PDB file of all heavy atoms in Angstrom:
ATOM      1  N   THR A 256      86.884  63.449  60.307  1.00 83.00           N
ATOM      2  CA  THR A 256      85.821  62.696  60.898  1.00 83.00           C
ATOM      3  C   THR A 256      85.981  61.189  60.390  1.00 83.00           C
ATOM      4  O   THR A 256      86.548  60.948  59.270  1.00 83.00           O
ATOM      5  CB  THR A 256      84.489  63.148  60.367  1.00 83.00           C
ATOM      6  OG1 THR A 256      84.657  63.557  59.046  1.00 83.00           O
ATOM      7  CG2 THR A 256      84.038  64.485  61.086  1.00 83.00           C
ATOM      8  N   VAL A 257      85.653  60.301  61.286  1.00 81.00           N
ATOM      9  CA  VAL A 257      85.647  58.836  60.909  1.00 81.00           C
ATOM     10  C   VAL A 257      84.226  58.479  60.694  1.00 81.00           C
ATOM     11  O   VAL A 257      83.443  58.606  61.618  1.00 81.00           O
ATOM     12  CB  VAL A 257      86.315  57.986  61.920  1.00 81.00           C
ATOM     13  CG1 VAL A 257      86.357  56.610  61.647  1.00 81.00           C
ATOM     14  CG2 VAL A 257      87.752  58.512  62.249  1.00 81.00           C
ATOM     15  N   ILE A 258      83.852  57.847  59.507  1.00 84.00           N
ATOM     16  CA  ILE A 258      82.609  57.453  59.263  1.00 84.00           C
ATOM     17  C   ILE A 258      82.489  55.961  59.549  1.00 84.00           C
ATOM     18  O   ILE A 258      83.203  55.144  58.845  1.00 84.00           O
ATOM     19  CB  ILE A 258      82.016  57.826  57.886  1.00 84.00           C
ATOM     20  CG1 ILE A 258      82.106  59.321  57.690  1.00 84.00           C
ATOM     21  CG2 ILE A 258      80.596  57.268  57.600  1.00 84.00           C
ATOM     22  CD1 ILE A 258      81.976  59.843  56.321  1.00 84.00           C
ATOM     23  N   VAL A 259      81.614  55.569  60.414  1.00 85.00           N
ATOM     24  CA  VAL A 259      81.428  54.084  60.682  1.00 85.00           C
ATOM     25  C   VAL A 259      80.269  53.635  60.117  1.00 85.00           C
ATOM     26  O   VAL A 259      79.092  54.172  60.307  1.00 85.00           O
ATOM     27  CB  VAL A 259      81.459  53.842  62.220  1.00 85.00           C
ATOM     28  CG1 VAL A 259      81.374  52.516  62.530  1.00 85.00           C
ATOM     29  CG2 VAL A 259      82.729  54.462  62.800  1.00 85.00           C
ATOM     30  N   SER A 260      80.292  52.496  59.314  1.00 86.00           N
ATOM     31  CA  SER A 260      79.024  52.118  58.580  1.00 86.00           C
ATOM     32  C   SER A 260      78.349  50.933  59.312  1.00 86.00           C
ATOM     33  O   SER A 260      77.149  50.814  59.122  1.00 86.00           O
ATOM     34  CB  SER A 260      79.402  51.707  57.181  1.00 86.00           C
ATOM     35  OG  SER A 260      80.518  50.791  57.205  1.00 86.00           O
ATOM     36  N   ASP A 261      78.970  50.069  59.994  1.00 88.00           N
ATOM     37  CA  ASP A 261      78.267  48.969  60.630  1.00 88.00           C
ATOM     38  C   ASP A 261      78.662  48.805  62.104  1.00 88.00           C
ATOM     39  O   ASP A 261      79.699  49.297  62.537  1.00 88.00           O
ATOM     40  CB  ASP A 261      78.358  47.647  59.909  1.00 88.00           C
ATOM     41  CG  ASP A 261      79.739  47.234  59.756  1.00 88.00           C
ATOM     42  OD1 ASP A 261      80.545  47.895  60.401  1.00 88.00           O
ATOM     43  OD2 ASP A 261      80.040  46.108  59.229  1.00 88.00           O
ATOM     44  N   TYR A 262      77.903  48.075  62.738  1.00 89.00           N
ATOM     45  CA  TYR A 262      78.166  47.868  64.222  1.00 89.00           C
ATOM     46  C   TYR A 262      79.381  47.267  64.601  1.00 89.00           C
ATOM     47  O   TYR A 262      80.073  47.558  65.601  1.00 89.00           O
ATOM     48  CB  TYR A 262      76.930  47.168  64.779  1.00 89.00           C
ATOM     49  CG  TYR A 262      75.801  48.066  65.141  1.00 89.00           C
ATOM     50  CD1 TYR A 262      74.510  47.822  64.568  1.00 89.00           C
ATOM     51  CD2 TYR A 262      75.904  49.201  65.929  1.00 89.00           C
ATOM     52  CE1 TYR A 262      73.460  48.611  64.736  1.00 89.00           C
ATOM     53  CE2 TYR A 262      74.851  50.008  66.094  1.00 89.00           C
ATOM     54  CZ  TYR A 262      73.594  49.806  65.571  1.00 89.00           C
ATOM     55  OH  TYR A 262      72.519  50.567  65.783  1.00 89.00           O
ATOM     56  N   GLN A 263      79.814  46.323  63.790  1.00 90.00           N
ATOM     57  CA  GLN A 263      81.047  45.525  64.111  1.00 90.00           C
ATOM     58  C   GLN A 263      82.235  46.530  64.137  1.00 90.00           C
ATOM     59  O   GLN A 263      83.073  46.338  65.052  1.00 90.00           O
ATOM     60  CB  GLN A 263      81.321  44.507  62.956  1.00 90.00           C
ATOM     61  CG  GLN A 263      80.579  43.220  63.158  1.00 90.00           C
ATOM     62  CD  GLN A 263      80.678  42.359  62.020  1.00 90.00           C
ATOM     63  OE1 GLN A 263      81.124  42.776  60.861  1.00 90.00           O
ATOM     64  NE2 GLN A 263      80.471  41.041  62.162  1.00 90.00           N
ATOM     65  N   GLN A 264      82.354  47.490  63.219  1.00 87.00           N
ATOM     66  CA  GLN A 264      83.426  48.444  63.197  1.00 87.00           C
ATOM     67  C   GLN A 264      83.355  49.329  64.510  1.00 87.00           C
ATOM     68  O   GLN A 264      84.338  49.590  65.109  1.00 87.00           O
ATOM     69  CB  GLN A 264      83.218  49.365  62.023  1.00 87.00           C
ATOM     70  CG  GLN A 264      83.804  48.744  60.767  1.00 87.00           C
ATOM     71  CD  GLN A 264      83.538  49.608  59.544  1.00 87.00           C
ATOM     72  OE1 GLN A 264      82.582  50.103  59.445  1.00 87.00           O
ATOM     73  NE2 GLN A 264      84.567  49.746  58.688  1.00 87.00           N
ATOM     74  N   MET A 265      82.022  49.565  64.887  1.00 89.00           N
ATOM     75  CA  MET A 265      81.814  50.448  66.085  1.00 89.00           C
ATOM     76  C   MET A 265      82.391  49.646  67.252  1.00 89.00           C
ATOM     77  O   MET A 265      83.075  50.289  68.132  1.00 89.00           O
ATOM     78  CB  MET A 265      80.476  50.762  66.286  1.00 89.00           C
ATOM     79  CG  MET A 265      80.147  52.171  66.842  1.00 89.00           C
ATOM     80  SD  MET A 265      78.580  52.752  66.304  1.00 89.00           S
ATOM     81  CE  MET A 265      77.935  52.973  67.953  1.00 89.00           C
ATOM     82  N   ASP A 266      81.969  48.405  67.320  1.00 91.00           N
ATOM     83  CA  ASP A 266      82.505  47.556  68.511  1.00 91.00           C
ATOM     84  C   ASP A 266      83.977  47.529  68.537  1.00 91.00           C
ATOM     85  O   ASP A 266      84.552  47.588  69.563  1.00 91.00           O
ATOM     86  CB  ASP A 266      81.988  46.218  68.398  1.00 91.00           C
ATOM     87  CG  ASP A 266      80.413  46.137  68.772  1.00 91.00           C
ATOM     88  OD1 ASP A 266      79.967  47.155  69.385  1.00 91.00           O
ATOM     89  OD2 ASP A 266      79.791  45.118  68.553  1.00 91.00           O
ATOM     90  N   ARG A 267      84.596  47.483  67.274  1.00 91.00           N
ATOM     91  CA  ARG A 267      85.975  47.250  67.253  1.00 91.00           C
ATOM     92  C   ARG A 267      86.683  48.589  67.735  1.00 91.00           C
ATOM     93  O   ARG A 267      87.645  48.528  68.471  1.00 91.00           O
ATOM     94  CB  ARG A 267      86.493  47.059  65.804  1.00 91.00           C
ATOM     95  CG  ARG A 267      87.748  46.173  65.686  1.00 91.00           C
ATOM     96  CD  ARG A 267      87.877  45.329  64.491  1.00 91.00           C
ATOM     97  NE  ARG A 267      88.248  46.197  63.371  1.00 91.00           N
ATOM     98  CZ  ARG A 267      87.693  46.177  62.191  1.00 91.00           C
ATOM     99  NH1 ARG A 267      86.776  45.337  61.856  1.00 91.00           N
ATOM    100  NH2 ARG A 267      88.141  46.961  61.122  1.00 91.00           N
ATOM    101  N   ILE A 268      86.139  49.713  67.366  1.00 88.00           N
ATOM    102  CA  ILE A 268      86.703  51.035  67.825  1.00 88.00           C
ATOM    103  C   ILE A 268      86.634  51.062  69.328  1.00 88.00           C
ATOM    104  O   ILE A 268      87.585  51.311  70.042  1.00 88.00           O
ATOM    105  CB  ILE A 268      85.861  52.151  67.257  1.00 88.00           C
ATOM    106  CG1 ILE A 268      86.172  52.294  65.800  1.00 88.00           C
ATOM    107  CG2 ILE A 268      86.305  53.536  68.033  1.00 88.00           C
ATOM    108  CD1 ILE A 268      85.366  53.404  65.090  1.00 88.00           C
TER     109      ILE A 268
END
Side-chain angles (χ1 to χ4, degrees):
T256 43
V257 178
I258 299 167
V259 178
S260 50
D261 63 359
Y262 279 123
Q263 278 174 338
Q264 279 174 319
M265 216 156 120
D266 283 347
R267 209 156 78 225
I268 290 176

